[in-house]
Amino acid sequence: MSEQPNNPLHGITLKQVVTELEARYGWNELARLIPIRCFESNPSIKSSLSFLRKTEWARIKVEALYIRTFRE
């Protein structure tokens, strides 16, 4: 595996990102911070991962929130 010094998410899975954000904020606050349906309507880790893996713009927003929350 190559080094990625400029990638703050290197070695962190999308599942880890969603799980840690949900533990920190809860689904209601996540839906307020990032208003996407997978957080608003019947949210779960599994459904969120499925949506985020298919939807790049939403994944970028979730990853940015993770970086702001845990990496700064």
Side-chain angles (χ1 to χ4, degrees):
M1 194 177 276
S2 63
E3 293 284 325
Q4 293 185 9
N6 295 327
N7 182 354
L9 295 175
H10 179 67
I12 300 172
T13 65
L14 184 58
K15 183 176 183 177
Q16 184 179 349
V17 168
V18 173
T19 301
E20 289 183 24
L21 286 173
E22 192 279 324
R24 173 79 172 243
Y25 294 111
W27 293 118
N28 289 334
E29 184 65 7
L30 272 177
R32 189 186 70 74
L33 293 169
I34 305 172
I36 52 179
R37 188 164 294 197
C38 69
F39 293 161
E40 296 172 338
S41 177
N42 201 17
S44 71
I45 299 291
K46 183 177 178 180
S47 66
S48 297
L49 290 173
S50 177
F51 175 76
L52 294 171
R53 287 183 178 129
K54 294 184 290 186
T55 315
E56 184 178 6
W57 65 265
R59 187 180 70 247
I60 290 169
K61 288 184 177 197
V62 170
E63 289 172 346
L65 176 62
Y66 181 86
I67 291 168
R68 285 193 312 271
T69 302
F70 295 107
R71 298 294 175 196
E72 290 185 342

